[in-house]
Amino acid sequence: MPSKTSISFMSRILPSSFRASAAFKTLLSDRRLPGERVAGAFWKHHPVADQSARTLVAATLAFHRATQGCLVKLTPAGNYQVADRGAHADWCGDPLGRRTFLDRAVNRPQDWLTLDDQLTPLEQEMVAAAQSLSRSLGPQVPLLATVFTPLTQALMLAGPERLLEHLQSSPDLVRTGLQRLTYGTERLIAAYHAVGVTGIYLAAQHLSTNTLSREIYRQHGWDSDDRVMAACEYFEGNILHIHGSPIHFDGTPTDGNWMTHYELGPDNPSPETYRAMSRCPAAIGLPLEVWDDPGHLRQAISTALSRFGQQGALLTAPCVVPLAVPDERIASWIKNINHVH
């Protein structure tokens, strides 16, 4: 299978034990010390506030000012790319801020043909939020915009069981729907680029064998992932987030302007397995329980860097931080990084 390589960024890549774009090198550099360092950033959902640009921008800026992470991630509602395509969801008190789907847009195989590939109103609202954040933060703070892959959107639109049923009974119709979702995702990525976003945080919820088999992914997800990653070529740096467990690395970038972020755990591939197949740096998601104990954190950072073969890394949580964790506690986690490394 071909590697995901961003050729236009190769001339800006600096020598290292792994390859990273100049933007990520700058992010992880410390002018006081030679080499690379670790840097920390976290993100939360902002339920209710995530339904409009104005309120999401205010919540995102307040979180950044309180925690002082090394970058900002725009984190819309998880269904924002499908909400105006008929997949309605509400926040029902989930502790991570995730939304529960109440209506699916795809019920019959023919429904895949009704999907629109234009930017929806809520997508346009989130692009407006990104533009406002970019202006407020300035060029010194990297800004990532969250985008879900087309196959992940298909899972939201139909639900896992119905998607699998339609892939068996009507693969051509699903393929048409995925193509339209891919066009729409490419347009969304281009819109984020136009308003000054530094990079894309590409969320893939379909690279877990508990969700879809690797064979189904290879048949129906590889091409759309490849196109979407190619659309991210002109950003300074991007992060692929592989959600869930047990995950696999089919379709994961092996080179270029990418980091890969996934949860370290007994059911997921080891850091050594990741490093054997990719030269992209890992954004390391450490378990939440290590962050409050500087001694434990020091050991966790040292071990993770060694196993990934990196001198520096973006350190974060396995995914989003629970809503109940106070911002002041997250700020202390980021301060702990400077104390232990």
Side-chain angles (χ1 to χ4, degrees):
M1 292 184 178
S3 66
K4 306 288 195 303
T5 304
S6 183
I7 300 299
S8 67
F9 277 86
M10 298 304 289
S11 63
R12 298 166 57 190
I13 293 172
L14 303 180
S16 178
S17 58
F18 56 84
R19 294 184 175 181
S21 73
F24 282 144
K25 281 289 190 175
T26 300
L27 174 64
L28 299 178
S29 68
D30 187 336
R31 294 180 180 178
R32 297 170 299 173
L33 299 171
E36 294 164 340
R37 68 182 180 96
V38 292
F42 299 85
W43 36 86
K44 283 183 176 182
H45 278 295
H46 301 284
V48 182
D50 56 20
Q51 296 303 290
S52 78
R54 180 183 60 81
T55 53
L56 182 56
V57 167
T60 303
L61 287 175
F63 179 77
H64 174 62
R65 289 164 182 158
T67 60
Q68 291 298 299
C70 66
L71 60 81
V72 170
K73 184 171 91 72
L74 176 66
T75 306
N79 71 320
Y80 87 102
Q81 289 168 259
V82 298
D84 292 327
R85 292 184 169 94
H88 302 301
D90 282 340
W91 177 55
C92 301
D94 178 81
L96 296 180
R98 297 169 298 187
R99 290 179 164 251
T100 300
F101 281 96
L102 306 177
D103 296 298
R104 301 288 186 177
V106 174
N107 295 288
R108 304 169 303 151
Q110 293 79 6
D111 292 339
W112 293 105
L113 302 180
T114 67
L115 298 178
D116 191 351
D117 60 11
Q118 302 301 308
L119 290 187
T120 69
L122 188 53
E123 287 176 323
Q124 294 177 44
E125 192 77 6
M126 294 304 102
V127 171
Q131 183 175 37
S132 179
L133 278 173
S134 180
R135 290 171 176 170
S136 296
L137 295 168
Q140 295 78 21
V141 181
L143 171 63
L144 301 182
T146 304
V147 172
F148 292 89
T149 61
L151 192 53
T152 295
Q153 295 172 56
L155 285 165
M156 297 179 188
L157 288 163
E161 292 182 2
R162 187 170 291 122
L163 174 60
L164 289 171
E165 176 187 324
H166 290 178
L167 284 172
Q168 290 182 340
S169 66
S170 308
D172 290 342
L173 298 182
V174 179
R175 192 172 295 112
T176 298
L178 279 170
Q179 187 171 37
R180 292 179 181 175
L181 292 173
T182 303
Y183 287 142
T185 305
E186 289 171 330
R187 287 191 171 94
L188 178 62
I189 290 170
Y192 280 132
H193 186 267
V195 298
V197 168
T198 310
I200 296 298
Y201 185 90
L202 186 64
Q205 298 180 347
H206 59 275
L207 297 178
S208 165
T209 55
N210 279 342
T211 303
L212 295 175
S213 71
R214 296 177 78 168
E215 184 61 29
I216 288 176
Y217 171 72
R218 290 166 181 165
Q219 290 180 351
H220 302 285
W222 177 273
D223 288 343
S224 60
D225 280 3
D226 192 53
R227 283 179 50 185
V228 167
M229 289 185 188
C232 298
E233 176 181 5
Y234 300 104
F235 292 93
E236 294 181 18
N238 308 290
I239 296 177
L240 172 66
H241 173 61
I242 309 176
H243 186 84
S245 66
I247 64 167
H248 58 81
F249 292 137
D250 288 4
T252 303
T254 59
D255 228 327
N257 61 330
W258 288 89
M259 289 185 183
T260 302
H261 175 222
Y262 68 96
E263 182 174 358
L264 301 179
D267 295 328
N268 278 338
S270 67
E272 292 83 1
T273 301
Y274 173 74
R275 181 54 61 226
M277 57 74 58
S278 179
R279 292 179 63 102
C280 294
I284 301 174
L286 296 175
L288 294 182
E289 56 266 23
V290 310
W291 286 97
D292 291 315
D293 182 345
H296 196 181
L297 179 61
R298 181 184 296 107
Q299 183 59 49
I301 293 173
S302 176
T303 299
L305 290 175
S306 176
R307 294 186 67 187
F308 277 109
Q310 299 179 196
Q311 294 177 329
L314 170 65
L315 300 176
T316 185
C319 193
V320 295
V321 177
L323 300 177
V325 177
D327 292 353
E328 295 79 8
R329 184 179 172 195
I330 297 171
S332 72
W333 296 347
I334 293 173
K335 290 178 181 177
N336 283 343
I337 293 174
N338 298 325
H339 294 157
V340 302
H341 193 74

